[in-house]
Amino acid sequence: MELLVTLDPADRVPLHAQLERALREDVRAGRLRPGARLPSTRRLAAQLGVSRGVVVEAYAQLHAEGYLATRRGSGTHVAHAAAAPAAARGDAPAPRPRYTFHPGQPDLSAFPRTAWLAATRRALHALPDQDLGYGTVRGPRVLREALAEHLGRTRGTAADPQRMLVCSGLIQGFTLAFAALRDAGATRIALEDPGWLGHRTVAAHTGLEAVPIPVDDHGMRVDLLDEARVDAVVVTPAHQSPMGAVLAPDRRAALLGWAQRTGGLIVEDDYDAEYRYDREPVGALQGLDPDHVLYAGSASKILAPALRLGWLVAPLALSRALVEHKRHADLGTPLIEQLALAEFVESGELERHLRRTRRRYRARRDALLDALARHLPGVRVQGVAAGLHAVVLLPEGTDEHALVAAAGARGIEIHGLGDQRFEPAGGPPGLILGYAAMPEPAIAAAIAELAELMPR
Ligand SMILES: Cc1ncc(COP(=O)(O)O)c(C=O)c1O
């Protein structure tokens, strides 16, 4: 193999280092592919007009760095592990989807940058130097009080700031709560099926056995909890994730009855309850029985997932254990973001933002319903009264997986219901269409294209 390398004897960089650099760059840029054989040291030295020692030294260095490898009998070649990045190899990058029905993602372009910046500035101005040390593990009192007032007024929680803990998103919140339950002797936790994958992954991570409880048009089948023999249950009563049902009043009562009778814990995931379009929001369960319900809320849907801000309101019995787990996780969520959120809530900006985004998401939801009625009149749509996504149930026998793949190949990102089930094929095929981040014309165009892919 001839190598296109030129060395400059006048350069102050030694010849072996010049050769090393040239070969390293050739591998990185994909000009030398993994497995490519290099000339022998003798031959390359002759080609470059340098002593053999220069090439030996360069090869040895690149060998040590992992760029080159040597096989007995076949000389030196580019190591297989030294793959160039895809862009350097000239591979086509995966096409960006033209339309994204990402479930549960708010419209990130609606993030209230100006108001958030102003809230951060005010929070920093008011922050005494000594508060920049290690803070309270639970989160600053001003934020807990602001959230308690907001949640009490808008969600009907009995949110005592003393029992509240601010966490780095609900993924951390559930991790802390499940670990505290496990420490208290819990082994089995009931989860909705279909249900949010995050609950399942956190249960696995914390060593709790997840027990699936089916969901129907009225929410979780709480009548099955007794025979499930669980220590705790996670529910999304205001807007079941993903199917969209509201937990029926008799089931709410039965669920609280189960907790009071057995001493089990209800974990109420109130992830998107602020978005309800056709009637008043259903109040949180926690307000009815704060000693048996752990309330969990998040900034991910109402503001942005990148903030990584969530909050728990725990029964007294669990409250201290949560703080201990949080202490060991990170000593507390970043303070400046928490103070900015406190300002944001107290100044009324959160309410303003919610009013604005509610209007926007409602218009998008309506556009989705119109487009589905026009282009896919045979499908059943549910869960549309609230939240940021709708569920479309596909005709029996539709290959959900194939449809998701075909849509992906056309640049339409959609998600199937199968991923949310304990058994992917354990229920009718369906799609979860997150509409919050899509302008109305894009929704109409994407659904028209999707309809063309549906088996007839
Ligand atoms: C059901 C459910 N709960 C909670 C969350 C929020 O998690 P986090 O606060 O970690 O973003 C989500 C986000 O997608 C969700 O879908």
Side-chain angles (χ1 to χ4, degrees):
M1 175 197 243
E2 287 288 312
L3 279 183
L4 255 183
V5 177
T6 45
L7 304 180
D8 179 1
D11 195 322
R12 271 193 303 193
V13 177
L15 291 172
H16 70 86
Q18 290 185 42
L19 180 57
E20 277 162 40
R21 188 172 55 197
L23 293 178
R24 203 183 284 114
E25 278 168 12
D26 279 348
V27 174
R28 284 208 187 125
R31 289 188 289 275
L32 280 175
R33 308 290 293 261
R37 275 187 62 175
L38 295 184
S40 69
T41 50
R42 191 183 311 275
R43 201 170 161 157
L44 184 55
Q47 181 194 326
L48 297 173
V50 296
S51 77
R52 189 168 159 231
V54 167
V55 182
V56 169
E57 193 166 348
Y59 277 14
Q61 178 62 29
L62 293 171
H63 192 273
E65 290 177 12
Y67 285 92
L68 301 183
T70 314
R71 235 184 334 229
R72 203 197 299 256
S74 63
T76 301
H77 61 271
V78 177
H80 284 279
R89 286 200 307 269
D91 293 356
R96 272 169 66 94
R98 289 177 298 132
Y99 304 112
T100 305
F101 285 103
H102 196 300
Q105 182 107 303
D107 185 349
L108 301 177
S109 74
F111 185 76
R113 289 172 186 256
T114 309
W116 187 263
L117 207 55
T120 307
R121 191 173 288 123
R122 288 196 304 274
L124 264 177
H125 254 299
L127 180 68
D129 290 347
Q130 64 268 24
D131 286 4
L132 282 166
Y134 296 104
T136 59
V137 174
R138 280 188 187 280
R141 186 151 189 114
V142 278
L143 175 57
R144 286 182 284 124
E145 282 175 353
L147 284 174
E149 192 281 325
H150 172 78
L151 294 172
R153 189 163 38 78
T154 62
R155 302 293 307 121
T157 56
D160 177 355
Q162 309 263 41
R163 298 190 193 180
M164 188 181 278
L165 178 137
V166 183
C167 46
S168 297
L170 277 187
I171 276 286
Q172 185 187 51
F174 294 128
T175 306
L176 304 172
F178 292 8
L181 278 167
R182 184 201 55 211
D183 291 354
T187 56
R188 288 162 63 82
I189 189 161
L191 304 182
E192 296 167 329
D193 184 20
W196 186 47
L197 199 58
H199 298 145
R200 251 184 290 163
T201 56
V202 176
H205 176 70
T206 47
L208 292 182
E209 185 182 345
V211 180
I213 305 287
V215 162
D216 64 19
D217 289 350
H218 304 286
M220 181 189 253
R221 290 274 313 277
V222 296
D223 56 309
L224 300 175
L225 280 178
D226 275 327
E227 69 189 61
R229 289 176 295 103
V230 290
D231 305 290
V233 52
V234 183
V235 267
T236 47
H239 185 233
Q240 201 274 327
S241 172
M243 303 304 281
V246 177
L247 190 66
D250 57 333
R251 294 196 187 180
R252 285 163 67 91
L255 182 57
L256 290 171
W258 167 84
Q260 288 155 7
R261 201 171 57 248
T262 63
L265 180 77
I266 300 167
V267 178
E268 176 175 30
D269 182 350
D270 206 34
Y271 68 111
D272 71 358
E274 287 83 356
Y275 292 109
R276 186 153 190 101
Y277 310 112
D278 301 317
R279 63 175 163 99
E280 283 301 295
V282 182
L285 270 179
Q286 189 267 355
L288 298 173
D289 190 345
D291 287 330
H292 290 97
V293 183
L294 181 146
Y295 178 87
S298 169
S300 291
K301 313 287 180 201
I302 54 179
L303 283 163
L307 289 175
R308 306 314 303 135
L309 286 170
W311 38 91
L312 302 177
V313 187
L316 203 55
L318 212 60
S319 178
R320 265 184 215 290
L322 286 180
V323 172
E324 283 319 300
H325 280 284
K326 175 72 175 163
R327 188 188 311 284
H328 291 293
D330 56 16
L331 285 177
T333 296
L335 178 71
I336 294 169
E337 280 75 4
Q338 295 188 78
L339 294 176
L341 180 60
E343 277 286 332
F344 198 78
V345 175
E346 276 180 345
S347 61
E349 285 296 346
L350 179 62
E351 295 275 349
R352 244 190 304 282
H353 176 68
L354 284 172
R355 276 198 299 277
R356 227 181 353 249
T357 46
R358 244 180 238 130
R359 267 200 305 278
R360 179 179 290 204
Y361 297 158
R362 184 195 185 109
R364 291 177 179 181
R365 191 247 353 219
D366 291 347
L368 178 66
L369 290 179
D370 283 353
L372 288 169
R374 184 157 353 121
H375 300 291
L376 289 169
V379 299
R380 195 175 141 210
V381 189
Q382 61 182 60
V384 292
L388 311 180
H389 70 268
V391 167
V392 169
L393 292 175
L394 300 167
E396 205 60 53
T398 308
D399 186 339
E400 174 191 302
H401 193 71
L403 181 61
V404 170
R410 290 268 292 255
I412 308 173
E413 183 193 338
I414 51 174
H415 295 261
L417 266 182
D419 293 344
Q420 313 276 316
R421 299 185 194 280
F422 277 65
E423 285 294 329
L431 303 175
I432 310 166
L433 299 178
Y435 51 77
M438 286 239 273
E440 289 90 317
I443 291 175
I447 296 297
E449 276 197 45
L450 195 59
E452 289 169 20
L453 300 174
M454 290 285 280
R456 291 178 199 275

